[in-house]
Amino acid sequence: MFAPEAEPLHLHGVVLPDDNERDLYVVDGRITSGPVDGATTILERGFITSGLVDVHAHLTIASPAGDAADPRERAMASARLHLDAGVLAIREPGSPDEASRQFGPDEGLPRVITAGHLLTPPDTYFPGIGRMVPEAELPAVAEAEALASVGWAKVIGDWPGADGLMHLNYRTATLIETARRVHAAGGRIAIHATSPSAVEAAIEASFDSIEHGWGIRPEHFPAMVRQRTALVPTLTMTMRLLPEVEGFLASIGLGPAGIAESAADGRRHLEMTGLAHAAGIAVLAGTDAGMIPHGLIREEIGWLRQAGLPNETALAAASWSARQFLGLPVLAEGAAADIVVYANDPRHNLQALDRPLLMLLAGRVLDPVVA
């Protein structure tokens, strides 16, 4: 079993985002401001931040362990790639299985917040990945998934219809009742939305996060700000997909008109993400690993920067802001010591993220200090 360091630890550096040079101590896997007698100094200078987060990754899909491995092995192999990139927490917004519930810091792997199964109507979405849920059953099933996971549920909001156009998977009234049931149970709910109608339905239903959001429009921004609906634009997936976007959209069943509309939305997604941030929407970093390789959070942060987010905001979208949105530990008194340290200030140069100097997960040193 993975356990915190037996001896107290001492770190000294610039703590982000408050930008204060100070001491942090780690005792029994948790942060304290100390001082603590007998603590071993493991850092004398550097830039200390909360561990990175990938807010959208599907761990058993496209795993380096291969499709023949069992789900737990696939999920763990994917999680190790995220860990190598400094990711100490992952939100998995839907999965074809329950493997990610079976590990975490006790095994030296990132914390995982799962949303249970992806919920979608029969005969929609990618075969074998979603849980097929008829419309009448969606509110109860989503509530059950939120209760069985760590408080999240995920709905596939749209998919191509027989006419080759993108359609809402569930009526807005059903989504409203689904979100109400999940919220009443103390959970939160995310939606896969790639069309304006799905974004609008998610806003009307008060969903907590919109995943992808290709169909987002400026007229959606005010309500999202009021409701504190987060946008997870999955820019790494989007930007990698764009060179062959028409072929991909055709492969999932869109016809010429649907392809033209969705491809146009995809091509302006980088710009719309920047506009969403400027309007005051919380934009969070999620790669959509599973659709693309795992462990690409640094690329996602870079795309957020290209979308117009300042360096510090792009970093926060994959660190302290993401953690606060998800209810995960940050660098606060008594919090679990999930820490990444960089030699140079990543707020000034995002390339500093390429080589973490030191990582602690639940107070356990994962990597030695690099000379």
PDB file of all heavy atoms in Angstrom, residues 231-245:
ATOM      1  N   LEU A 231     -17.130  25.516 -18.648  1.00  0.00           N
ATOM      2  CA  LEU A 231     -16.875  24.997 -19.984  1.00  0.00           C
ATOM      3  C   LEU A 231     -15.570  24.218 -19.970  1.00  0.00           C
ATOM      4  O   LEU A 231     -14.539  24.723 -19.532  1.00  0.00           O
ATOM      5  CB  LEU A 231     -16.776  26.149 -20.990  1.00  0.00           C
ATOM      6  CG  LEU A 231     -16.348  25.761 -22.419  1.00  0.00           C
ATOM      7  CD1 LEU A 231     -17.392  24.867 -23.078  1.00  0.00           C
ATOM      8  CD2 LEU A 231     -16.091  27.010 -23.263  1.00  0.00           C
ATOM      9  N   VAL A 232     -15.632  22.972 -20.437  1.00  0.00           N
ATOM     10  CA  VAL A 232     -14.432  22.150 -20.608  1.00  0.00           C
ATOM     11  C   VAL A 232     -14.277  21.940 -22.115  1.00  0.00           C
ATOM     12  O   VAL A 232     -14.865  21.024 -22.690  1.00  0.00           O
ATOM     13  CB  VAL A 232     -14.559  20.806 -19.864  1.00  0.00           C
ATOM     14  CG1 VAL A 232     -13.251  20.023 -19.961  1.00  0.00           C
ATOM     15  CG2 VAL A 232     -14.941  21.031 -18.400  1.00  0.00           C
ATOM     16  N   PRO A 233     -13.517  22.793 -22.797  1.00  0.00           N
ATOM     17  CA  PRO A 233     -13.547  22.813 -24.265  1.00  0.00           C
ATOM     18  C   PRO A 233     -12.776  21.689 -24.952  1.00  0.00           C
ATOM     19  O   PRO A 233     -12.882  21.545 -26.179  1.00  0.00           O
ATOM     20  CB  PRO A 233     -12.927  24.167 -24.598  1.00  0.00           C
ATOM     21  CG  PRO A 233     -12.015  24.460 -23.458  1.00  0.00           C
ATOM     22  CD  PRO A 233     -12.714  23.900 -22.236  1.00  0.00           C
ATOM     23  N   THR A 234     -12.020  20.904 -24.202  1.00  0.00           N
ATOM     24  CA  THR A 234     -11.245  19.782 -24.761  1.00  0.00           C
ATOM     25  C   THR A 234     -10.541  20.204 -26.058  1.00  0.00           C
ATOM     26  O   THR A 234     -10.702  19.591 -27.107  1.00  0.00           O
ATOM     27  CB  THR A 234     -12.136  18.536 -24.995  1.00  0.00           C
ATOM     28  OG1 THR A 234     -13.200  18.853 -25.910  1.00  0.00           O
ATOM     29  CG2 THR A 234     -12.728  18.048 -23.684  1.00  0.00           C
ATOM     30  N   LEU A 235      -9.713  21.234 -25.953  1.00  0.00           N
ATOM     31  CA  LEU A 235      -9.094  21.813 -27.136  1.00  0.00           C
ATOM     32  C   LEU A 235      -8.063  20.894 -27.777  1.00  0.00           C
ATOM     33  O   LEU A 235      -7.891  20.917 -29.001  1.00  0.00           O
ATOM     34  CB  LEU A 235      -8.447  23.149 -26.775  1.00  0.00           C
ATOM     35  CG  LEU A 235      -9.416  24.283 -26.435  1.00  0.00           C
ATOM     36  CD1 LEU A 235      -8.640  25.517 -25.987  1.00  0.00           C
ATOM     37  CD2 LEU A 235     -10.324  24.616 -27.611  1.00  0.00           C
ATOM     38  N   THR A 236      -7.379  20.087 -26.966  1.00  0.00           N
ATOM     39  CA  THR A 236      -6.369  19.201 -27.547  1.00  0.00           C
ATOM     40  C   THR A 236      -7.019  18.224 -28.514  1.00  0.00           C
ATOM     41  O   THR A 236      -6.536  18.013 -29.640  1.00  0.00           O
ATOM     42  CB  THR A 236      -5.615  18.449 -26.443  1.00  0.00           C
ATOM     43  OG1 THR A 236      -5.004  19.402 -25.567  1.00  0.00           O
ATOM     44  CG2 THR A 236      -4.533  17.568 -27.028  1.00  0.00           C
ATOM     45  N   MET A 237      -8.117  17.607 -28.095  1.00  0.00           N
ATOM     46  CA  MET A 237      -8.849  16.725 -28.997  1.00  0.00           C
ATOM     47  C   MET A 237      -9.333  17.484 -30.219  1.00  0.00           C
ATOM     48  O   MET A 237      -9.168  17.044 -31.357  1.00  0.00           O
ATOM     49  CB  MET A 237     -10.027  16.090 -28.260  1.00  0.00           C
ATOM     50  CG  MET A 237     -10.883  15.144 -29.115  1.00  0.00           C
ATOM     51  SD  MET A 237     -12.152  15.982 -30.109  1.00  0.00           S
ATOM     52  CE  MET A 237     -13.263  16.574 -28.833  1.00  0.00           C
ATOM     53  N   THR A 238      -9.921  18.647 -29.994  1.00  0.00           N
ATOM     54  CA  THR A 238     -10.479  19.420 -31.099  1.00  0.00           C
ATOM     55  C   THR A 238      -9.415  19.785 -32.121  1.00  0.00           C
ATOM     56  O   THR A 238      -9.587  19.571 -33.339  1.00  0.00           O
ATOM     57  CB  THR A 238     -11.139  20.700 -30.563  1.00  0.00           C
ATOM     58  OG1 THR A 238     -12.211  20.352 -29.681  1.00  0.00           O
ATOM     59  CG2 THR A 238     -11.682  21.549 -31.704  1.00  0.00           C
ATOM     60  N   MET A 239      -8.316  20.328 -31.659  1.00  0.00           N
ATOM     61  CA  MET A 239      -7.297  20.810 -32.583  1.00  0.00           C
ATOM     62  C   MET A 239      -6.598  19.659 -33.314  1.00  0.00           C
ATOM     63  O   MET A 239      -6.191  19.816 -34.474  1.00  0.00           O
ATOM     64  CB  MET A 239      -6.287  21.685 -31.849  1.00  0.00           C
ATOM     65  CG  MET A 239      -6.910  22.895 -31.139  1.00  0.00           C
ATOM     66  SD  MET A 239      -8.013  23.886 -32.176  1.00  0.00           S
ATOM     67  CE  MET A 239      -6.841  24.612 -33.315  1.00  0.00           C
ATOM     68  N   ARG A 240      -6.483  18.515 -32.666  1.00  0.00           N
ATOM     69  CA  ARG A 240      -5.912  17.352 -33.355  1.00  0.00           C
ATOM     70  C   ARG A 240      -6.881  16.768 -34.375  1.00  0.00           C
ATOM     71  O   ARG A 240      -6.460  16.166 -35.371  1.00  0.00           O
ATOM     72  CB  ARG A 240      -5.506  16.282 -32.330  1.00  0.00           C
ATOM     73  CG  ARG A 240      -4.260  16.640 -31.532  1.00  0.00           C
ATOM     74  CD  ARG A 240      -3.861  15.527 -30.589  1.00  0.00           C
ATOM     75  NE  ARG A 240      -2.577  15.808 -29.954  1.00  0.00           N
ATOM     76  CZ  ARG A 240      -1.618  14.901 -29.772  1.00  0.00           C
ATOM     77  NH1 ARG A 240      -1.799  13.651 -30.172  1.00  0.00           N
ATOM     78  NH2 ARG A 240      -0.484  15.234 -29.187  1.00  0.00           N
ATOM     79  N   LEU A 241      -8.175  16.931 -34.112  1.00  0.00           N
ATOM     80  CA  LEU A 241      -9.192  16.368 -34.996  1.00  0.00           C
ATOM     81  C   LEU A 241      -9.428  17.222 -36.238  1.00  0.00           C
ATOM     82  O   LEU A 241      -9.811  16.702 -37.293  1.00  0.00           O
ATOM     83  CB  LEU A 241     -10.501  16.219 -34.214  1.00  0.00           C
ATOM     84  CG  LEU A 241     -11.716  15.645 -34.942  1.00  0.00           C
ATOM     85  CD1 LEU A 241     -11.450  14.208 -35.383  1.00  0.00           C
ATOM     86  CD2 LEU A 241     -12.951  15.702 -34.042  1.00  0.00           C
ATOM     87  N   LEU A 242      -9.214  18.530 -36.137  1.00  0.00           N
ATOM     88  CA  LEU A 242      -9.626  19.444 -37.200  1.00  0.00           C
ATOM     89  C   LEU A 242      -9.099  19.091 -38.589  1.00  0.00           C
ATOM     90  O   LEU A 242      -9.834  19.239 -39.585  1.00  0.00           O
ATOM     91  CB  LEU A 242      -9.225  20.876 -36.837  1.00  0.00           C
ATOM     92  CG  LEU A 242     -10.121  21.577 -35.814  1.00  0.00           C
ATOM     93  CD1 LEU A 242      -9.660  23.025 -35.623  1.00  0.00           C
ATOM     94  CD2 LEU A 242     -11.585  21.547 -36.220  1.00  0.00           C
ATOM     95  N   PRO A 243      -7.852  18.632 -38.754  1.00  0.00           N
ATOM     96  CA  PRO A 243      -7.395  18.336 -40.113  1.00  0.00           C
ATOM     97  C   PRO A 243      -8.224  17.272 -40.829  1.00  0.00           C
ATOM     98  O   PRO A 243      -8.240  17.228 -42.059  1.00  0.00           O
ATOM     99  CB  PRO A 243      -5.944  17.863 -39.902  1.00  0.00           C
ATOM    100  CG  PRO A 243      -5.524  18.529 -38.629  1.00  0.00           C
ATOM    101  CD  PRO A 243      -6.751  18.527 -37.778  1.00  0.00           C
ATOM    102  N   GLU A 244      -8.899  16.409 -40.076  1.00  0.00           N
ATOM    103  CA  GLU A 244      -9.715  15.357 -40.693  1.00  0.00           C
ATOM    104  C   GLU A 244     -11.144  15.383 -40.163  1.00  0.00           C
ATOM    105  O   GLU A 244     -11.830  14.368 -40.107  1.00  0.00           O
ATOM    106  CB  GLU A 244      -9.092  13.995 -40.413  1.00  0.00           C
ATOM    107  CG  GLU A 244      -8.825  13.718 -38.943  1.00  0.00           C
ATOM    108  CD  GLU A 244      -8.001  12.466 -38.693  1.00  0.00           C
ATOM    109  OE1 GLU A 244      -7.165  12.123 -39.544  1.00  0.00           O
ATOM    110  OE2 GLU A 244      -8.215  11.824 -37.651  1.00  0.00           O
ATOM    111  N   VAL A 245     -11.617  16.584 -39.793  1.00  0.00           N
ATOM    112  CA  VAL A 245     -12.884  16.684 -39.092  1.00  0.00           C
ATOM    113  C   VAL A 245     -14.059  16.235 -39.953  1.00  0.00           C
ATOM    114  O   VAL A 245     -14.986  15.583 -39.447  1.00  0.00           O
ATOM    115  CB  VAL A 245     -13.100  18.116 -38.545  1.00  0.00           C
ATOM    116  CG1 VAL A 245     -13.245  19.126 -39.663  1.00  0.00           C
ATOM    117  CG2 VAL A 245     -14.292  18.161 -37.604  1.00  0.00           C
TER     118      VAL A 245
END
